Amino acid sequence: MDGSERWIQTLRDITGGSAMISVLAVLFALVVGAILIAFTNERVQETAGYFFSRPTDLLRAVWDAVAGAYSALFQGSIYNFRATNFLTAIRPLTETLTFATPLIAAGLGVGLAFRVGMFNIGGRGQMLIAAGAAGWVAFAVELPAGIHLIVAILAGLLGGAIWGGIVGLLKARTGAHEVIVTIMLNFVALYLIQFLLRTPGALQAPGSNNPKTPAMAATAVFPDLFGPRYNLHAGFLTVVAATIFVWWLLSRSNLGFQFRAVGQNPSAARVAGINVKNVYLYAMAISGALVGLAGINQVLGTVTTGFGSGIDAGIGFDAITVALLGRSKPWGIFAAGILFGAFKAGGFAMQAAEGVPIDIVVVVQALIVLFIAAPPLVRAMFHLPTPGTSRKPKIRAVKTRQTNEVVAK
């Protein structure tokens, strides 16, 4: 293979690779979202009634609706170019990072389980247990500043690791399917936390009948990164550290090699001398701790005035989407979490400024998952090559057949 053929093959691998599939899935989902925005816009519906007499009115209305909606999405999530000063203009980006923080943490946990061949859909339960453990330490234990925050984080990580480790232990020792176990443990965690929130002396605030905890102590709260005018807190730094840790674990450590080997082929890994049962236990424990980090960020950074049983906010399930979009790779998950954080931050601005239903953002997210889960569909729509394939063998086959026909004549 000469130099030009190598470049052609490399280009084919890039255009047909998973990264390109993810980018095209997002772009195509945004196109479908634009169509939905146009169809639900009242001005577009009005101008469609006299389209044949004045078609330009409809086209202008469609453009105004779509451009206005996506402009509001950008201003609400990245940069508000209508703001009077830079500090105000950059605030939407900090909101995006705030929303992205728990999504990245939980996505890393789900993605790690994916790499081991396990489907962790117990994010809600793991988040709730971690939030309960970290929150109790934060409001019920008196410790010096600095130490208090660290102990609260460790308590939350331990809670998430135990709740995830139960799944790994049951799969390793009894062969129980992790999907069933995680679904059941979600309900167990939910009702356990609800019980503790209604029990005086447990998680319920003293002197209150509401199922809510007291406010977190100031010594156990993540500090603001850029001051009180922004919601972004130091919990974002913990997910950056978690991303680096997962990258190192999967790419540079012996345990990570075992994770990837078991994920590729458990039988072959067992023959190679890897203790597959222990791998399942370790993987789910670490996965639970990472998902638990999302709950920790919620109670120690985002909602510090006390929390209820809805503190997970659906993040445990959104993390599955983030992990799929990020292809279960640490930095891919990091980028996907920021993207979905932008959808969350910008979706509210789009609804407030342009009257676009927030459900359209949810539809766009669902379409991204659909296309990510079906790479052949995206390749067929955009005529992308399959990575690792080459057209050269086909050309040679055609030439060989033509030569054989000439010889036969």
Side-chain angles (χ1 to χ4, degrees):
M1 182 181 292
D2 58 22
S4 61
E5 290 176 341
R6 288 196 192 94
W7 279 109
I8 293 174
Q9 185 62 39
T10 302
L11 182 62
R12 287 175 59 81
D13 291 342
I14 293 174
T15 55
S18 60
M20 182 60 69
I21 296 295
S22 299
V23 172
L24 291 176
V26 173
L27 292 178
F28 193 74
L30 290 175
V31 171
V32 176
I35 296 173
L36 294 176
I37 290 170
F39 269 103
T40 57
N41 184 266
E42 293 182 359
R43 177 60 181 164
V44 172
Q45 296 172 358
E46 178 185 343
T47 55
Y50 56 89
F51 171 73
F52 292 103
S53 59
R54 295 174 61 182
T56 56
D57 285 3
L58 176 63
L59 297 177
R60 187 179 300 109
V62 170
W63 170 257
D64 291 342
V66 175
Y70 283 152
S71 175
L73 181 67
F74 180 84
Q75 291 183 72
S77 60
I78 304 299
Y79 187 83
N80 184 6
F81 45 80
R82 294 179 180 175
T84 56
N85 56 76
F86 177 77
L87 294 179
T88 304
I90 205 67
R91 191 175 190 276
L93 179 59
T94 65
E95 290 298 307
T96 291
L97 297 179
T98 301
F99 280 111
T101 295
L103 289 172
I104 295 170
L108 288 171
V110 175
L112 179 67
F114 282 162
R115 296 295 291 271
V116 190
M118 302 180 73
F119 196 43
N120 181 11
I121 59 174
R124 184 182 191 184
Q126 292 151 22
M127 279 188 65
L128 286 172
I129 295 299
W136 183 83
V137 172
F139 70 75
V141 179
E142 295 184 5
L143 291 171
I147 297 177
H148 198 180
L149 177 59
I150 294 174
V151 173
I153 293 174
L154 292 177
L157 292 176
L158 180 60
I162 291 174
W163 213 248
I166 293 173
V167 180
L169 181 64
L170 290 176
K171 182 177 179 64
R173 303 306 176 190
T174 68
H177 200 286
E178 71 275 6
V179 172
I180 304 298
V181 177
T182 50
I183 290 175
M184 294 299 101
L185 285 179
N186 279 343
F187 289 103
V188 173
L190 174 62
Y191 293 128
L192 175 61
I193 293 298
Q194 287 181 346
F195 169 75
L196 294 175
L197 287 170
R198 291 185 174 91
T199 303
L203 291 180
Q204 189 179 44
S208 173
N209 293 323
N210 296 325
K212 184 179 178 182
T213 69
M216 306 300 110
T219 53
V221 172
F222 285 119
D224 296 324
L225 283 183
F226 303 114
R229 65 182 299 175
Y230 301 105
N231 292 324
L232 185 63
H233 51 79
F236 178 72
L237 300 180
T238 65
V239 301
V240 174
T243 305
I244 296 173
F245 166 74
V246 175
W247 168 82
W248 173 85
L249 176 67
L250 292 174
S251 303
R252 296 291 185 269
S253 70
N254 178 58
L255 183 59
F257 171 78
Q258 295 181 43
F259 284 176
R260 291 184 282 114
V262 172
Q264 290 291 329
N265 192 323
S267 300
R270 188 177 292 107
V271 172
I274 296 176
N275 191 326
V276 176
K277 293 182 178 181
N278 285 347
V279 167
Y280 286 147
L281 175 59
Y282 299 152
M284 282 307 302
I286 298 174
S287 175
L290 290 168
V291 177
L293 182 61
I296 295 169
N297 275 284
Q298 287 289 92
V299 299
L300 301 185
T302 305
V303 185
T304 60
T305 56
F307 63 90
S309 59
I311 190 64
D312 64 289
I315 294 170
F317 292 104
D318 291 341
I320 300 174
T321 306
V322 172
L324 287 173
L325 180 59
R327 297 290 179 177
S328 300
K329 298 179 180 179
W331 293 110
I333 293 172
F334 187 86
I338 292 178
L339 174 65
F340 276 76
F343 281 149
K344 284 183 177 291
F348 297 113
M350 190 168 65
Q351 183 181 33
E354 300 294 327
V356 177
I358 192 67
D359 297 331
I360 289 181
V361 175
V362 179
V363 171
V364 170
Q365 294 176 344
L367 289 172
I368 291 174
V369 178
L370 173 64
F371 295 130
I372 287 295
L377 176 61
V378 179
R379 290 194 179 98
M381 288 190 302
F382 294 96
H383 302 286
L384 298 178
T386 302
T389 62
S390 175
R391 295 182 180 274
K392 191 172 181 180
K394 295 182 180 180
I395 297 174
R396 285 180 176 175
V398 172
K399 289 182 177 180
T400 302
R401 185 179 61 188
Q402 292 174 347
T403 302
N404 293 337
E405 291 175 354
V406 172
V407 171
K409 291 179 180 179

